[in-house]
Amino acid sequence: FDWFVYASFATYFAGAFFPDGNPTAQLPLALSTFTGREPEIEALDALLSGDADGPAPAVAVVAGVSGIGKSALIVHWANRIADRFPDGQLFIDVQGYHLSNRPLSSLSVLDQALRGLGVSSAQIPAGLQERSALYRSLLNHRKLLVILDDVRSFQQVQPLLPGRGQCLVLITSRDPLDELVSDYGAVQIQLNVMTADEADRMLATVIGQDRVAAEPAAAARLAELCGHLPLALRIAAGRLTPRPYRSLQRLAARLEDGAGRLDVLSPSDGGVRAGFWLSYRELTPEAATLFRRLALLPVEGFAAWAGAAVLDVDLMKAEDLLEQLVDAQLLELCMTPTGPARFRFHELLRLFAWERAADEDSAEERADTLERAYGTLLTLAGCAHRLLYGIGHLPSHSARLAHELPADAVAELLDDPLEWFESERGTILAMVGAAARQGDAAHAWELTARAMPLFEMRNYQEDWQQAAQSALESARLADDTLGVTVMLRSLGSLAIYQRRYQDADGLLTSAMELLDGADDPHERAVVLRNLALCARFRGDLDGAAEHCRAALTRFRETDDPVSAAHALGLLAQIELERGDNDTGIALTRQAITASAETGSVRGRAQNIYRLAEAYLRIGDLREVIGTCQEVIELTRAQGDRLGEAYALRALGEAHWRQERYDVAESTLGEAFTAAEDVGDRFLQARIETDRACSEALRGDAAAVERLRRAHQAFTVLAASAWQERTARLVEIVGGAAAEGRPVPLEHLLATR
């Protein structure tokens, strides 16, 4: 069928268009219960404002997971604007994902399209190219709406794109069909789950506003359990509509059972499960295995390294498979401002994947999957811990399996170890909690111990408490003495951070009692160091020095230079507080050198800060400024906001003591913001005290009220020494303010 000959008949074929004089009108009836989707409708409306005489027709792709409401949106919108297309509307279900049939071929779809346009069977060419050419000729200069529903691939619908004219093509697909966007300028609309408000409105539309208003909490929970997926919510509402006596709370209670939720939402072998199955069956075997095994992880989101771990493949392979799952709308891609991309399941898809894993994978395969995930996370967390704290004595983890990532991949992941910890914060807490609940005590406490840099440097005290407490309880049940000891010590450290020194002393004493029957000199040294901290804060400086020297000796005996440097710095602090400035400064310098030699950036920063505090004690303000600036540089490089806040506070004090009030107050403002970021209320109160001192030196009466607020904060925190100091400052500054005069510097320094 020669092309030139065929082209000469194009006008004739075009004349067959709508032979009965009526344009084709194939739009299905829109759902009467359709609600929401205002932003997506606005994006579709924008297609109507394009250049009608442009070189190419407008094309839009609405993509999303099964049950998300792609077809419902398109049909609703198309019925609303159908009058804008006087030459008619084509609607073709191309069966990209059909329960029993394979996707329609382009040839079959073109056959349907041409018949819909009024072309008789005898006039439809046999070949794909000829059918496509005739189709484009018929649509040339026409204003027609073409809807291609449930598209499987770009190749399936490419021949159905009009050549020119005023047509609008709407496509729904589980695949984003990126080729249409890149090659044809199609508008891509990614349809996501409904918002809470949209879900509430949809439920009210189906079952009635009165029933939703009568049980608002149950309605919201019902939407959550349906994952805000329109199909699932519509099925749930369908169970309520003919049964006005059934409460929303009762149905929500049935859906709370995760194992049976898909049964409720998949009536007669259809519904949610059937839709998911159609996507799942198209996966390659490796992608399907990854999909199943990722669902075993007790986490909300995960990075590509987790995919490599559960499948035991290299990172690049895992990334490729994850992209396949995203393209199939079986995983969601979550872009982060910094760091690698993360992925997550829609909750109903997670349940489906978990079902498939239980059905297709053996118990041993499932157990090995989780073990590799734990082993890999423990390994990465241990590496990040060493990068932040230096080489110390973390107990080896006990996971029997771990995916070995290549060194360059680990280096890339942990380029900023604290940010890596931050990105995996939810994963760490979820994995600790799951391990504790399932009796894997060692995994729970080993992971908690490795996450200490995150808890300490970002001041996540609630996370610290939650992880360590659950790990402690699990270790006790497992009769894991080392785990109990390490978690008691960790909780004791937390109590010190929270200035609950009596509680800290009790926890640490309990840990020491367990160590009396164990041969673990290193753990004993750690507990002794923390007991030294408790003694110091109680005011027992002699006892603190004794504990600290004993800990220092054991750290050196067990070859832990990082902890030894930390203990040396603590001993320096104690000597300074005992009034021996020369010894304190000398020990601090030794601690700085020791920290530098071990590669512990945080330890070095802490010890340099101690030196700054020593210089404040002796009034060498020039040295204070230099050392504080060095600490600020080190802490900012690590993302250590807590350390940065402390250094900025000391720097601010140095400035106000030099009567550089504007610089002091600006610096202290930065310090307060950093302290707010990490939620350290004690440090915030200290900074407020410094701000008040600067104001008092200038004769600003606002200093009195600021000091009163700081005093109240110290009272709540039971920080007795600072409570007493701010009380004296309120008296001194209040007296000066009453007389309308500034406070002399020496009066403020006398309260130190």
Side-chain angles (χ1 to χ4, degrees), residues 262-275:
L262 287 182
D263 292 335
V264 177
L265 299 176
S266 305
S268 303
D269 296 325
V272 172
R273 185 184 283 118

Side-chain angles (χ1 to χ4, degrees), residues 111 149 164 353 565:
D111 181 79
D149 191 39
R164 293 182 58 84

Side-chain angles (χ1 to χ4, degrees), residues 201-491:
R201 283 189 282 148
M202 176 180 157
L203 193 59
T205 302
V206 178
I207 68 172
Q209 181 61 48
D210 291 346
R211 293 180 74 180
V212 172
E215 297 182 83
R221 183 57 182 156
L222 197 61
E224 290 175 3
L225 292 166
C226 290
H228 294 100
L229 189 71
L231 174 61
L233 193 57
R234 198 175 299 280
I235 291 170
R239 288 180 170 270
L240 295 167
T241 303
R243 301 173 180 85
Y245 55 84
R246 176 173 287 177
S247 71
L248 277 67
Q249 179 61 45
R250 185 177 180 83
L251 180 57
R254 288 193 64 188
L255 293 179
E256 291 285 359
D257 176 17
R261 192 180 309 169
L262 287 182
D263 292 335
V264 177
L265 299 176
S266 305
S268 303
D269 296 325
V272 172
R273 185 184 283 118
F276 292 164
W277 169 257
L278 296 177
S279 293
Y280 174 73
R281 73 177 184 180
E282 299 296 328
L283 296 174
T284 64
E286 279 187 306
T289 302
L290 178 60
F291 173 68
R292 296 193 304 271
R293 295 185 181 175
L294 284 169
L296 301 174
L297 300 180
V299 299
E300 290 189 3
F302 42 85
W305 68 261
V310 299
L311 203 56
D312 204 16
V313 297
D314 66 71
L315 194 57
M316 189 174 296
K317 178 69 173 178
E319 289 172 345
D320 290 342
L321 293 172
L322 286 165
E323 286 180 9
Q324 289 182 35
L325 294 175
V326 170
D327 288 344
Q329 303 290 335
L330 294 174
L331 282 182
E332 298 175 18
L333 176 64
C334 312
M335 298 306 296
T336 56
T338 59
R342 297 183 68 81
F343 305 85
R344 69 182 177 193
F345 279 100
H346 182 279
E347 187 54 34
L348 294 179
L349 272 167
R350 182 195 299 280
L351 291 174
F352 174 77
W354 186 89
E355 281 186 352
R356 300 316 316 148
D359 188 58
E360 298 182 39
D361 297 325
S362 68
E364 182 181 358
E365 287 171 328
R366 297 196 299 272
D368 286 352
T369 294
L370 278 173
E371 190 70 2
R372 273 194 307 275
Y374 272 109
T376 308
L377 179 57
L378 284 162
T379 300
L380 287 171
C383 291
H385 186 289
R386 285 192 295 275
L387 287 169
L388 290 166
Y389 281 6
I391 299 173
H393 273 247
L394 267 179
S396 299
H397 72 70
S398 59
R400 57 183 175 82
L401 295 174
H403 178 71
E404 188 173 346
L405 291 165
D408 59 340
V410 174
E412 184 177 351
L413 278 173
L414 303 182
D415 178 58
D416 186 333
L418 188 57
E419 280 305 314
W420 179 83
F421 266 129
E422 184 69 52
S423 70
E424 298 295 347
R425 176 186 170 196
T427 296
I428 289 168
L429 291 173
M431 297 285 271
V432 167
R437 288 190 302 273
Q438 294 163 9
D440 292 330
H443 290 353
W445 71 260
E446 288 164 358
L447 189 49
T448 300
R450 282 160 174 73
M452 289 308 300
L454 172 66
F455 300 148
E456 290 182 341
M457 296 172 76
R458 291 291 167 89
N459 204 39
Y460 288 140
Q461 295 181 23
E462 290 182 6
D463 292 351
W464 187 348
Q465 177 73 41
Q466 173 189 330
Q469 189 63 47
S470 62
L472 172 63
E473 292 168 4
S474 180
R476 279 176 168 156
L477 288 173
D479 199 22
D480 182 342
T481 303
L482 178 59
V484 172
T485 303
V486 173
M487 290 300 96
L488 283 171
R489 185 248 299 167
S490 181
L491 287 167

